[in-house]
Amino acid sequence: MAALAGAALAPASAVAQALSEAEVGAVVREAALEAARLGLPATIAVVDGEGNALAVFRMDGAPVASVVEGQPARPVAGGCGEQGLEGLALPAELAALSKAGTGALLSSTGHAFSTRTAAFVVQQNFPPGVELTPGGAFFGLLLSSLPCTDVPGAALPLGLSGDPGGQPLYRRGVVVGGVGVEGDGRTGIDVDPVDADLPPEEQAALAGARAFAAPAAIRAESVLLDGIRLPFANGETPAPASPEAPRPPGVDLLAPRGALPSRLLPAGLAAYPTRAGAALSAAEVARILDQAARQTLTTSAAIRRPLRTFVRVNVAVVDAGGDVLGFFRNEDAPLFGIDAAVQKARTAAFFSGPGAAAVLGAAGLGRYLRDGLPFDGSVAYTSRAVGFLAQPFFPPGIVGTEPGPFSVGPPPEWSPFHPGLQLDLVCEALAASWARAGAGACTPIPGLGNGIALHAGGVPLYKDGRLAGAIGVSGDGPDQDDLVASAGVVGFEAPPERRCDRLTARGVRLPYVKFPRHPER
């Protein structure tokens, strides 16, 4: 399986403004002092703008493990089983690093998101807690940027986090990193991210980010998604600690260090090399990327400020087997989208292919092949449609109905760490990577090396009526991702009669793509 290799992706401005060793140490000190004031022995992590670890500090008395919420604690070495990730006891520093990395990878010069923001947009209802509404626009996003990805670049130990306590770090409006605080011995997702709670982890992270706080004009509270204002943090930035106050006692698991070489800037390469696949020529791949890129010049972003700013996205083209043929990125597109764009493309290609049902059955995932849905190459599926089938209630949001075909339904309290097709594909590989501190592909299934995506932006490509691959787009809004992807597939569209929106499941028509009502404003 080919992995991405070689691109000038990180803005030069971000590299020039990277945190120094002294600044990283100051972030750790401020977060630790606030945690100590609140009586929370914690593990504190700082990462750079690409999610690379710059410091990890464990205060004396801090829990060494964080248990994934939902089940009694159990060792990682036992694997996932029927509990999914729930109950696994993971090193606390991994949770802190993923919190820090989430703040960095989800943010850009046009929007600043925290782990609280992430929790708000990935749940089974949007807004969270409002029944009879479908899943969030980024449902399933937490299982991306995983350590077992085969897409080099922005990856985090536990993937993206929805647990409050992760904040981005900015310098002069540019993302330069993130800070994460883990101290309560539990990791999971805030199922009510708009309540009035003031978790000490979040307060300590805000203190750590004080000197590098996100600009107020782009914090999540200024962003509306489907008319809903997003949360950023419940607390205000605490007052600065005394300059004379010593850092609380603890141990540096990783001593503060400054800027690291970019993993996304190999010398001498200006762009990912475009290459041919089994069905697409290199020129056709370049044409698809160019069509998508041109659409970004006229499409307004959903989650970027100021208003009427054009989208900044990551675009991946894969062949029918999931190998990456080409990649494009607007400058300042959020880095989480590198992995997510490839996931989306592979999701559309895999489920539209002739062998999907047989491969899933052979992998022991046959329980997800139900409701008579054909996965034999006769139907063109998008990542939006796959996410529709993965909702814990079906139709999405209708409480009391049976789970979607790709879900096993919610436990007493919804959790992204409960079994379902997306998690089952990657669960054992994740547990193994945490147990041995290494990483390989996320799944044993060819073509799905970094898992699948459950949100919009992945569309299959056809040539002469046959599946040729897929395009995946990830960046500044789900409907915008679909629009850019659909621009890319012009000339390579699925035959109309094979689109999955001609198909029904339990009497409900599946979606294909959805565009913003006013894409240019």
Side-chain angles (χ1 to χ4, degrees), residues 135-492:
F138 297 97
F139 182 78
L141 179 66
L142 297 188
L143 290 177
S144 64
S145 299
L146 297 169
C148 57
T149 180
D150 68 331
V151 182
L156 303 174
L158 307 184
L160 296 168
S161 173
D163 192 3
Q167 291 284 321
L169 301 174
Y170 279 77
R171 190 200 304 277
R172 294 191 291 276
V174 174
V175 182
V176 292
V179 57
V181 179
E182 176 61 30
D184 61 7
R186 304 185 306 274
T187 187
I189 185 170
D190 187 351
V191 296
D192 189 6
V194 292
D195 59 13
D197 67 331
L198 289 172
E201 294 170 319
E202 187 170 60
Q203 293 181 71
L206 285 167
R210 179 187 297 105
F212 304 95
I218 63 169
R219 281 177 32 147
E221 299 105 326
S222 69
V223 175
L224 299 180
L225 185 59
D226 293 338
I228 307 297
R229 190 175 303 279
L230 305 182
F232 184 74
N234 279 0
E236 298 298 327
T237 301
S242 167
E244 291 77 29
R247 189 176 73 173
V251 59
D252 283 315
L253 303 181
L254 174 64
R257 55 183 177 177
L260 297 175
S262 174
R263 293 178 294 176
L264 306 179
L265 285 170
L269 292 175
Y272 283 125
T274 297
R275 61 190 183 88
L280 296 170
S281 68
E284 288 170 328
V285 174
R287 170 186 162 190
I288 292 164
L289 290 172
D290 182 69
Q291 291 175 165
R294 290 177 182 277
Q295 185 64 45
T296 70
L297 302 178
T298 59
T299 302
S300 291
I303 56 173
R304 183 175 287 268
R305 290 296 177 267
L307 292 173
R308 297 180 177 82
T309 300
F310 294 145
V311 293
R312 300 290 181 264
V313 300
N314 303 273
V315 185
V317 174
V318 304
D319 66 11
D323 286 341
V324 179
L325 304 181
F327 196 93
F328 165 80
R329 177 178 181 262
N330 296 114
E331 183 170 346
D332 196 44
L335 292 182
F336 81 89
I338 295 174
D339 187 76
V342 178
Q343 276 188 329
K344 292 179 183 185
R346 287 174 169 169
T347 299
F350 176 78
F351 285 99
S352 302
V359 170
L360 291 175
L365 299 170
R367 63 174 169 168
Y368 298 111
L369 301 172
R370 55 183 193 259
D371 290 293
L373 292 170
F375 297 103
D376 56 5
S378 63
V379 176
Y381 292 95
T382 60
S383 61
R384 182 184 286 273
V386 172
F388 190 81
L389 296 171
Q391 301 280 325
F393 297 110
F394 192 86
I398 308 300
V399 177
T401 58
E402 292 296 313
F406 291 164
S407 175
V408 294
E413 186 172 85
W414 175 82
S415 165
F417 312 110
H418 187 70
L421 177 58
Q422 186 193 33
L423 178 60
D424 282 357
L425 280 167
V426 303
C427 203
E428 293 301 333
L430 276 177
S433 72
W434 296 330
R436 67 172 182 263
C442 289
T443 85
I445 294 180
L448 295 179
N450 62 333
I452 62 173
L454 302 183
H455 47 298
V459 180
L461 297 161
Y462 284 77
K463 184 177 177 181
D464 300 325
R466 300 180 62 184
L467 181 69
I471 185 174
V473 178
S474 183
D476 281 344
D479 295 351
Q480 288 73 12
D481 291 347
D482 265 353
L483 179 58
V484 174
S486 296
V489 305
V490 170
F492 302 90

Side-chain angles (χ1 to χ4, degrees), residues 10-118:
S13 56
V15 176
Q17 298 189 59
L19 296 167
S20 69
E21 179 181 328
E23 289 170 331
V24 173
V27 171
V28 171
R29 174 182 173 275
E30 291 289 334
L33 285 169
E34 180 65 13
R37 187 186 72 80
L38 297 169
L40 179 77
T43 299
I44 297 156
V46 179
V47 302
D48 66 12
E50 295 177 10
N52 299 304
L54 298 182
V56 180
F57 173 67
R58 178 182 293 152
M59 297 168 61
D60 283 353
V64 298
S66 290
V67 177
V68 181
E69 293 181 321
Q71 297 286 345
R74 57 196 175 94
V76 174
C80 298
E82 291 301 312
Q83 296 173 241
L85 298 178
E86 293 176 347
L88 293 184
L90 306 174
E93 60 268 24
L94 300 188
L97 283 164
S98 278
K99 286 184 178 186
T102 298
L105 299 189
L106 286 184
S107 300
S108 72
T109 63
H111 62 274
F113 285 3
S114 67
T115 51
R116 182 177 290 277
T117 313

